[in-house]
Amino acid sequence: MKICMLIPRFYPVIGGTESQCLLLSRELVKKKSGVFVLTQREKGLPAFGRVEGVPVRRLPGFSVPGIPSFGFFFSSLVYLLLNAGKFDLIHAHLATSAALSAAVAGFLLRKKLVVKFAGAGETGDIGTSGRRRWGGVKLWIIRRVFGDRKSTRLNSSHTDISRMPSSA
């Protein structure tokens, strides 16, 4: 199975989600899975490279006033749509612009999806997104895509996707 790990930031940016993505991707490389990381390009980093044996594609991003994550959403969505043959499954890390582009691309391409939520309660992905106008819209779209897929409940700690706002 070919897996696209979609994450807004990746090494050398270090945090819990980035570490989990790297550890999981490294293990999948060891098992000969076709895995690659798709992330936003940070200043001074090449568009393509490897981190501990894991292929990494870094996309350009840009900011739109009031929606700073739109650039990565747009560039990752275009990449996913134009490169559908390179993956069977999209694993989005965090309920961010990555999850939104994964949900839209997965729906349009009929690809398998996994969204890994981080944190719980008011400080987790769902809690922080739900407090923002565009975050609420994003969560509504993700919920609709997963609802259409008849997916099981997705949990992260005590965060439950079924409790995401049903409207923005």
Side-chain angles (χ1 to χ4, degrees), residues 56-128:
V56 179
R57 167 78 58 197
R58 297 179 190 277
L59 302 174
F62 56 90
S63 184
V64 172
I67 314 172
S69 62
F70 181 79
F72 181 63
F73 160 75
F74 183 77
S75 62
S76 61
L77 178 60
V78 169
Y79 180 91
L80 293 169
L81 293 175
L82 295 177
N83 293 279
K86 293 184 178 181
F87 57 90
D88 304 306
L89 180 141
I90 306 167
H91 182 162
H93 294 261
L94 299 173
T96 61
S97 55
L100 182 57
S101 61
V104 173
F107 177 79
L108 294 173
L109 300 170
R110 306 311 299 162
K111 297 285 187 173
K112 295 176 183 175
L113 298 172
V114 173
V115 177
K116 184 248 179 222
F117 295 92
E122 294 299 312
T123 60
D125 293 355
I126 294 171
T128 55

Side-chain angles (χ1 to χ4, degrees), residues 122-138:
E122 294 299 312
T123 60
D125 293 355
I126 294 171
T128 55
S129 290
R131 289 192 302 271
R132 296 184 178 106
R133 180 179 176 197
W134 293 111
V137 172
K138 170 187 65 183

Side-chain angles (χ1 to χ4, degrees), residues 4 8 14-15 26 49 66 68 101 103 110 113 122 137 142 146 153 166:
C4 171
I14 300 172
R26 243 185 14 213
S101 61
R110 306 311 299 162
L113 298 172
E122 294 299 312
V137 172
I142 293 168
F146 276 94
R153 291 172 93 137
S166 56

